[in-house]
Amino acid sequence: MAGESPFNFSGQRALVTGASRGIGAVIATHLARAGAHVFTHYRQNEAGAQATAEAIRAAGGSATLVQANLVDVDAIGAMFGTVHATGPLDILIHNAAIGSFKPAMGVRANQWDLTMSVNARALLLCAQHAAPLMDGRGGKIVALSSAGSTRVIPNYGAIGFSKAALEAVVRTLAVELAPARIRVNAVTAGLIDTASIRLHPQYAEIEARARERTLAGRIGTPEDLARVVAFLCSPLADWIVGQTIVADGGAGLVV
């Protein structure tokens, strides 16, 4: 209809992994403000996920909590069973991530496995469950990546490796799901001010360097990413397929 906002997600249903805090919580509330019913996923932090859902409802939106350990294949299936029991799915945002801030040479095998499972493998498994629920609806899948996928960040452990794998999964899913009109993309962020990144042992140094290099003149916020995610979920992005959109305030342009 002429004049209708492309960011009106009324009648759509979205699942956001890792929605109990930080970037995931902001993305969930952003989509809900635009009219989507949001499934707020959490692993352990039920109170945080509940707070996200309550904020959504207080603003006039609707939300449902879903719990799953994304390392557990059966738990992922059960989560999508809960979604399916109430209807189809239009949007999947894979934001959940885990990892230890340490040198790569100090990463233990179990830490590698955990990081890869949550950050990359879970995207594939969630997409496998989501695709049938998006059949004929022109679904959108967006994964959250980071600059560590292509650049070496000190003490980033296995996180950068997992994000590189995530972006490879995005490209392949984009090709395989295109015939079903499901668009798959990723967003890679520069430094975003969250409680998680502040735990990095060199955060002060990283922040100072980011402020110096970021052409936008400030550190990124979760809201910055939420707006990019919303764009990729909108009809305006239908021509963007299998891409990783860089949203870093221009930091990556400067040597």
Side-chain angles (χ1 to χ4, degrees):
M1 184 172 68
E4 183 175 343
S5 170
F7 300 109
N8 180 359
F9 297 120
S10 297
Q12 297 191 40
R13 291 151 53 86
L15 169 60
V16 181
T17 67
S20 63
R21 62 190 177 99
I23 293 169
V26 172
I27 290 173
T29 54
H30 192 94
L31 292 176
R33 279 200 307 270
H37 176 85
V38 179
F39 292 88
T40 58
H41 160 264
Y42 69 99
R43 178 179 65 92
Q44 278 186 311
N45 187 6
E46 182 177 0
Q50 186 64 51
T52 301
E54 288 175 359
I56 287 172
R57 294 174 189 133
S62 61
T64 301
L65 268 67
V66 286
Q67 189 278 335
N69 182 344
L70 298 183
V71 175
D72 187 333
V73 175
D74 293 335
I76 292 175
M79 175 176 69
F80 278 92
T82 298
V83 174
H84 189 199
T86 59
L89 188 67
D90 299 279
I91 296 168
L92 168 64
I93 309 299
H94 182 52
N95 161 79
I98 195 169
S100 301
F101 293 133
K102 58 169 52 180
M105 291 297 289
V107 174
R108 298 193 299 270
N110 66 316
Q111 292 173 325
W112 168 279
D113 292 342
L114 177 61
T115 302
M116 295 296 281
S117 291
V118 173
N119 299 4
R121 188 184 74 168
L123 168 62
L124 174 61
L125 298 179
C126 287
Q128 289 172 346
H129 285 284
L133 305 185
M134 295 177 170
D135 188 34
R137 299 178 67 85
K140 305 293 194 302
I141 299 176
V142 180
L144 275 293
S145 188
S146 80
S149 65
T150 57
R151 299 204 295 271
V152 177
I153 298 175
N155 289 304
Y156 210 47
I159 302 170
F161 309 146
S162 70
K163 294 300 188 178
L166 175 145
E167 291 179 15
V169 173
V170 164
R171 290 190 290 271
T172 300
L173 288 177
V175 173
E176 293 191 5
L177 295 178
R181 296 194 304 111
I182 297 172
R183 300 290 179 255
V184 187
N185 291 289
V187 178
T188 185
L191 182 63
I192 302 295
D193 188 8
T194 64
S196 296
I197 193 61
R198 287 177 176 273
L199 297 175
H200 192 288
Q202 294 173 266
Y203 177 74
E205 177 185 335
I206 290 173
E207 181 191 28
R209 183 163 173 76
R211 287 188 183 278
E212 177 185 343
R213 291 165 56 95
T214 302
L215 304 181
R218 61 177 177 81
I219 298 301
T221 67
E223 288 77 10
D224 290 322
L225 285 190
R227 287 190 285 269
V228 178
V229 168
F231 165 71
L232 289 174
C233 293
S234 78
L236 296 179
D238 279 350
W239 197 237
I240 301 176
V241 181
Q243 302 302 305
T244 296
I245 305 300
V246 177
D248 67 353
L253 299 175
V254 183
V255 177

